[in-house]
């Protein structure tokens, strides 16, 4: 028998996310919009938990994603510009305004404490068909060459 998950996981009914951390979708709009990848809900939102030392693996989402710190410790967000050269970093702490990661950017996040609970809102809404892990992309070699200090997050 496996041990019980930590209390926040039990209380929030979170499940493991493919990029790392744990999540639960809490909103999916019934309104849909047409995107180049097909119809999508107009917006979606999840709860996303990163525990101490945990990070989200480099990934890209086809649409813009707003990150909101809801509870816990600060979270470090890092994303790359379209040319893969420009590296953006933002620490999202208690009381800070949300942070927008532009559509299609490679991104990663790291909890800077014991745990960070964030809300992630995507519009047009998230679909796993619009999600790519960097390790599964030809861009992985170039990203790790340009940003070796972040290569461990593949």
């Amino acid at each position: 028998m496996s041990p019980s998950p930590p209390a926040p996981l039990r209380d929030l009914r979170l499940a493991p996310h493919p990029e790392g951390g744990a999540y639960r979708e809490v909103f999916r709009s019934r309104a849909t919009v047409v995107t180049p990848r097909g119809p999508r809900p107009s917006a979606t939102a999840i709860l996303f938990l990163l525990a101490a030392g945990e990070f989200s693996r480099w990934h890209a989402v086809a649409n813009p994603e707003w990150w909101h710190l809801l509870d816990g410790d600060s979270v470090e967000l890092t994303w790359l510009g379209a040319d893969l050269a420009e590296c953006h970093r933002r620490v999202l702490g208690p009381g800070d305004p949300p942070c927008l990661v532009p559509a299609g950017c490679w991104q990663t996040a790291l909890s800077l404490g014991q745990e960070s609970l964030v809300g992630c809102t995507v519009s047009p809404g998230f679909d796993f068909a619009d999600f790519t892990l960097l390790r599964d992309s030809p861009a992985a070699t170039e990203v790790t060459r340009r940003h070796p200090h972040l290569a461990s997050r593949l």
Side-chain angles (χ1 to χ4, degrees), residues 15-31:
H17 196 289
E19 76 192 46
Y23 82 109
R24 177 170 58 99
E25 187 175 88
V26 293
F27 175 75
R28 178 168 290 266
S29 174
R30 291 182 184 169

Side-chain angles (χ1 to χ4, degrees), residues 50-145:
L50 290 171
E54 198 168 28
F55 56 86
S56 70
R57 290 175 188 83
W58 281 105
H59 65 283
V61 177
N63 298 314
E65 182 171 13
W66 284 99
W67 287 71
H68 323 259
L69 182 65
L70 301 174
D71 197 12
D73 300 303
S74 298
V75 64
E76 176 190 82
L77 302 171
T78 306
W79 68 96
L80 301 177
D83 65 358
L84 303 181
E86 191 173 358
C87 186
H88 304 271
R89 180 180 174 270
R90 164 103 185 268
V91 173
L92 190 57
D96 287 345
C99 178
L100 177 67
V101 175
C105 288
W106 294 110
Q107 60 177 298
T108 180
L110 171 71
S111 175
L112 297 178
Q114 290 304 302
E115 65 181 16
S116 304
L117 179 64
V118 298
C120 296
T121 305
V122 178
S123 180
F126 179 84
D127 187 299
F128 273 105
D130 302 336
F131 171 84
T132 306
L133 288 169
L134 179 60
R135 69 179 183 212
D136 299 334
S137 167
T141 302
E142 183 64 13
V143 170
T144 56
R145 183 185 71 76

